[in-house]
């Protein structure tokens, strides 16, 4: 108990030994209840005869047509036509390591405790055990081992040379993995192979039917994958009886949803936003939320633009974020400090340029016409600033580790949606604007990424600007096309995967037919 409480490798071994003692006592209690006292040696002999320790009093009956899997000790006195002795590796067979356990059962004898076996005696005992395993075969014996190319890798046991047969090296891969699932896959492929003869295809189908009909004693299928009802890709895609969106009502989208649907991956949007199958929020998302909140407090005047005050607020919530390791928490804490420093310098610089903060975390809800669809755009603008020209400039703070290219920013759907929302009245009634302002442009402020040297260097955040979308010359029509396409995808329920950089951080790669790890779903 003392060793177990100290933890570490010794503690784990102590826990294992204590578990073994408790299991021994539990087995003894079951034996006492079943047959009464028969003596310790009879009890130990009964335990030694068991294949697997069982919890039930009545042992299960053996299937006569099943393959038996057991240790060499348990095979004593039994015989089969075919026996496979697998994994005959040097270091495993013979295993000359001293068996150390709390009870030391190898030393228990009729005359008391025996002396520990010498290496020579252990080798002889291992050789006798291998002889027992090899002589269980009446007609055919198969012995397998692995031989690595390097001498310091896995090597076959020395006992192989004592069989009197030269071992045969098998270097080629088997025609298929030696498993039931691989057999089913090959039979399925043969049934639909146009190059296969009709007789071969029929034979494959008959064999699949035989496998599908196999049941255990309780009626449970032994090879359920052999039945066509379990095969993916045989049926036409189904549609839900309940539509995802009512066609008589506007399609509700956010700026980020438009970005995913139109330029990233519509399947990722559907699984993450509609099915809500996204995993719980990560520490990176917590990082972004904290920085966004502190930036909003400074911009709204709730917290002074003082780094020490912001760091104190940061420390008050930082420990609630879950990181994989303490060093990762410390590293991200420094990144958060650098991001806040960049924000404060940018915040002051923007004031010097003559732009004033008009709103922070401004919610908007406007309905737009796009390609015959009514699209209801909802969201929140991190920051809205009023320029000397009276125009509205939308700022979106980013805390990711990468940034889009200049060409991607020029056609950035989320920024363009913000500008369209401004044009359609998202800022109506905001103090400081006379009437409905025109959009002056939108910006991504990358708080985690420093600016290029020519723009101020690492002490300032990288700022990426999208030009203003004017209303008179048709500028911004591409945004309407994106909105129409996104609305059409949602209404028609067309969510096809689109591989790209976003795949690196996608949570659904294991179920995506466009990724190698998920392609097995439909193939």
């Amino acid at each position: 108990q003392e060793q177990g409480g100290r933890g570490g490798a010794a503690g784990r071994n102590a826990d294992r030994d204590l578990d073994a003692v408790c299991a021994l006592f539990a087995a003894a209690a079951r034996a006492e209840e079943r047959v009464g006292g028969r003596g310790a040696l009879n009890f130990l002999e009964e335990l030694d005869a068991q294949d697997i320790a069982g919890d039930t009093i009545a042992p299960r009956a053996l299937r006569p047509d099943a393959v038996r899997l057991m240790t060499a000790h348990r095979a004593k006195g039994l015989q089969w036509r075919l026996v496979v002795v697998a994994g005959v590796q040097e270091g495993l067979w013979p295993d000359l390591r001293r068996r150390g356990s709390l009870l030391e059962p190898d030393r228990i004898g009729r005359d008391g405790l025996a002396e520990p076996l010498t290496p020579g005696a252990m080798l002889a005992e291992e050789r006798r055990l291998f002889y027992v395993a090899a002589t269980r075969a009446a007609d055919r014996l198969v012995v397998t081992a692995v031989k690595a190319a390097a001498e310091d890798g896995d090597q076959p046991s020395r006992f192989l040379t004592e069989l009197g047969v030269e071992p045969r090296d098998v270097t080629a891969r088997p025609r298929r993995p030696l498993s039931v699932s691989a057999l089913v896959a090959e039979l399925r492929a043969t049934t639909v192979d146009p190059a296969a003869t009709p007789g071969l295809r029929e034979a494959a189908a008959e064999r699949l039917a035989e496998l599908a009909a196999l049941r255990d004693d309780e009626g449970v299928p032994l090879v359920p994958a052999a039945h066509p009802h379990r095969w993916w890709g045989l049926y036409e895609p189904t549609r839900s009886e309940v539509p995802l969106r009512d066609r008589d009502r506007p399609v509700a989208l956010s700026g980020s949803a438009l970005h995913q649907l139109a330029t990233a991956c519509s399947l990722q949007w559907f699984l993450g936003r509609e099915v809500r199958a996204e995993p719980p929020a990560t520490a990176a998302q917590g990082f972004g939320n904290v920085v966004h909140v502190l930036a909003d407090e400074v911009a709204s005047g709730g917290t002074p633009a003082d780094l020490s005050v912001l760091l104190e607020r940061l420390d008050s919530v930082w420990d609630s974020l879950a990181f994989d390791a303490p060093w990762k928490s410390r590293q991200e804490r420094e990144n958060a400090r650098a991001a806040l420093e960049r924000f404060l310098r940018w915040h002051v610089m923007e004031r010097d340029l003559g732009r004033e903060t008009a709103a922070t975390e401004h919610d908007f809800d406007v309905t737009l016409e796009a390609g015959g669809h009514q699209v209801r755009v909802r969201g929140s603008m991190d920051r809205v600033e009023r320029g000397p020209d009276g125009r509205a400039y939308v700022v979106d703070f980013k805390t990711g580790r990468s940034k889009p290219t200049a060409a991607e920013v020029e056609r950035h759907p989320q920024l363009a949606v913000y500008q369209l929302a401004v044009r359609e009245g998202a800022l109506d009634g905001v103090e400081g604007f006379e009437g409905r302002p025109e959009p002056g442009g939108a910006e991504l402020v990358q708080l985690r990424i420093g600016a290029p040297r020519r723009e101020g260097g690492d002490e300032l955040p990288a700022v990426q600007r999208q030009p203003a979308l004017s209303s008179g010359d048709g500028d911004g029509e591409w945004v309407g096309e994106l909105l129409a396409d996104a609305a059409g995808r949602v209404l028609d329920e067309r969510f096809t995967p689109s591989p790209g950089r976003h795949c690196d951080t996608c949570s659904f790669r294991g179920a995506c037919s466009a990724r190698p790890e998920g392609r097995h779903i439909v193939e």
Side-chain angles (χ1 to χ4, degrees), residues 4-28:
R6 284 195 287 265
R12 287 192 296 271
N13 291 334
D15 290 338
R16 181 199 63 194
D17 291 337
L18 288 172
D19 289 342
V21 173
C22 293
L24 176 65
F25 288 174

Side-chain angles (χ1 to χ4, degrees), residues 88-91 93-96 119 123 127 130 155-163:
V88 185
Q89 305 291 140
E90 188 67 26
W93 209 339
D95 185 358
L96 303 180
L123 177 60
R127 181 176 280 108
F130 181 70
Q155 296 298 326
S157 168
R158 68 190 78 175
F159 291 162
L160 288 184
T161 60
E162 301 175 8
L163 289 173

Side-chain angles (χ1 to χ4, degrees), residues 155 315 318 422 436 503 506:
Q155 296 298 326
D315 291 335
W318 190 256
V422 170
R436 177 170 297 180
C503 293
C506 181

Side-chain angles (χ1 to χ4, degrees), residues 9 50 58 72 78 94 120 135 171 202 218 232 264 286 305 307 347 350 361 397 435 491:
Q50 293 180 1
L78 303 176
T135 55
T171 57
E202 183 177 354
E218 299 177 355
W232 292 92
L307 181 61
H347 177 71
E350 288 297 306
E361 297 295 336
F397 295 122
L491 292 174

Side-chain angles (χ1 to χ4, degrees), residues 283-405:
Q285 291 170 312
F287 176 102
N289 292 337
V290 170
V291 173
H292 269 81
V293 169
L294 294 179
D296 175 52
E297 290 182 0
V298 172
S300 61
T303 299
D306 185 285
L307 181 61
S308 60
V309 175
L310 289 180
L311 294 181
E312 184 177 349
R313 294 273 290 113
L314 179 68
D315 291 335
S316 66
V317 298
W318 190 256
D319 290 339
S320 63
L321 301 182
F323 291 93
D324 295 334
W327 67 265
K328 187 66 175 177
S329 175
R330 292 191 295 269
Q331 182 187 61
E332 288 296 87
R333 170 64 172 72
E334 288 303 312
N335 290 334
R337 175 192 176 94
L340 291 174
E341 286 184 305
R342 293 190 186 101
F343 165 74
L344 288 178
R345 292 191 180 95
W346 171 87
H347 177 71
V348 175
M349 178 191 70
E350 288 297 306
R351 289 176 178 173
D352 292 343
L353 291 178
R355 282 163 48 175
E356 299 178 354
T357 302
T360 61
E361 297 295 336
H362 179 70
D363 296 327
F364 64 92
D365 188 340
V366 297
T367 300
L368 308 173
E369 179 75 26
H373 299 296
Q374 292 286 321
V375 183
R376 183 183 180 187
V377 181
R378 294 180 293 181
S380 177
M381 302 175 185
D382 288 345
R383 182 160 168 160
V384 179
E385 296 184 338
R386 182 181 61 258
D389 53 2
R391 289 173 172 261
Y393 296 81
V394 182
V395 177
D396 193 37
F397 295 122
K398 297 295 184 183
T399 56
R401 292 181 173 85
S402 61
K403 61 180 181 178
T405 64

Side-chain angles (χ1 to χ4, degrees), residues 54-93:
D55 290 331
T56 58
I57 293 179
R60 287 176 174 266
L62 293 175
R63 290 175 57 91
D65 56 348
V67 176
R68 296 194 64 179
L69 180 66
M70 62 179 61
T71 64
H73 289 92
R74 186 66 185 89
K76 291 179 182 179
L78 303 176
Q79 197 169 48
W80 298 268
R81 292 180 57 191
L82 169 64
V83 171
V84 178
V85 184
V88 185
Q89 305 291 140
E90 188 67 26
L92 298 178
W93 209 339

Side-chain angles (χ1 to χ4, degrees), residues 119-328:
M122 293 178 66
L123 177 60
E125 180 65 24
E126 290 282 290
R127 181 176 280 108
R128 284 192 293 270
L129 189 61
F130 181 70
Y131 174 81
V132 169
T135 55
R136 298 309 91 198
D139 295 338
R140 186 183 181 199
L141 171 68
V142 178
V143 182
T144 67
V146 175
K147 182 171 70 174
E151 293 184 358
D152 57 348
D154 291 332
Q155 296 298 326
S157 168
R158 68 190 78 175
F159 291 162
L160 288 184
T161 60
E162 301 175 8
L163 289 173
V165 178
E166 184 68 23
R168 180 167 60 93
D169 290 344
V170 179
T171 57
R173 290 181 176 272
R175 188 163 56 91
R176 64 169 179 267
L178 301 181
S179 63
V180 175
S181 58
L183 173 62
V184 170
E186 183 176 357
L187 292 174
R188 285 179 53 185
T190 303
T191 59
V192 296
D193 185 2
T197 64
L200 182 59
R201 292 200 298 269
E202 183 177 354
E206 291 177 353
R207 181 60 58 87
L208 281 171
E210 294 175 3
L211 293 174
L214 293 177
R215 298 287 192 276
D216 63 10
D217 296 337
E218 299 177 355
V220 178
L222 293 175
V223 192
H227 200 290
H229 290 171
R230 300 292 298 271
W231 298 353
W232 292 92
L234 290 185
Y235 300 99
E236 292 298 322
T238 59
R239 295 184 66 89
S240 173
E241 296 181 358
V242 180
L244 187 65
R245 291 288 190 276
D246 187 349
R247 288 184 173 272
D248 297 330
R249 304 180 63 182
V251 180
L253 294 175
S254 65
S256 59
L258 174 63
H259 180 79
Q260 272 192 304
L261 283 166
T263 63
C265 179
S266 58
L267 179 62
Q268 186 184 55
W269 172 83
F270 173 73
L271 294 176
R273 299 293 184 89
E274 295 298 312
V275 180
R276 300 187 184 279
E278 285 277 6
T282 63
Q285 291 170 312
F287 176 102
N289 292 337
V290 170
V291 173
H292 269 81
V293 169
L294 294 179
D296 175 52
E297 290 182 0
V298 172
S300 61
T303 299
D306 185 285
L307 181 61
S308 60
V309 175
L310 289 180
L311 294 181
E312 184 177 349
R313 294 273 290 113
L314 179 68
D315 291 335
S316 66
V317 298
W318 190 256
D319 290 339
S320 63
L321 301 182
F323 291 93
D324 295 334
W327 67 265
K328 187 66 175 177

